[in-house]
Amino acid sequence: MATALLNKRSKPAAATPASLYTVPSGTSTVLSNIICCNQSTETTVKIAVRPLGVSVTADHYIVSGTTINDNDVLEIGRGITLNATDIVEVLSDSGNVSFNLFGEETT
């Protein structure tokens, strides 16, 4: 088995869901943390983990409607495990949040 470090980032437009990361086929991933950096005034964020080909529903959210204060950071560090083709999807109300994901892929 081979492992590789993972570092993905995205700053999606306001109220526009974006795929931050999709686990490659034949790969499993352990996320060490996700950092949400608000670069402006107070806003809310959502983060979901969903299987490929499935629309986000309430049971996919690991963060839902969480407020990040002006120029503040929200860090999620839980050792989240992902299967091949799982998708991490992010959204902010303002479009002023950068999302950074770190972890390790195993093939």
Side-chain angles (χ1 to χ4, degrees), residues 14-92:
T16 304
S19 294
L20 177 60
Y21 172 65
T22 301
V23 181
S25 181
T27 303
S28 63
T29 299
V30 176
L31 302 181
S32 57
N33 59 13
I34 301 172
I35 298 171
C36 312
C37 177
N38 182 14
Q39 300 166 19
S40 190
T41 58
E42 182 178 286
T43 191
T44 59
V45 297
K46 293 182 178 182
I47 302 172
V49 176
R50 65 176 175 86
L52 180 67
V54 174
S55 297
V56 172
T57 60
D59 60 329
H60 294 123
Y61 286 108
I62 60 172
V63 172
S64 180
T66 299
T67 300
I68 305 177
N69 293 325
D70 301 8
N71 301 305
D72 205 355
V73 173
L74 170 68
E75 183 175 356
I76 298 105
R78 298 190 178 146
I80 300 165
T81 56
L82 305 174
N83 293 317
T85 70
D86 281 351
I87 298 168
V88 177
E89 189 172 285
V90 296
L91 175 131
S92 77

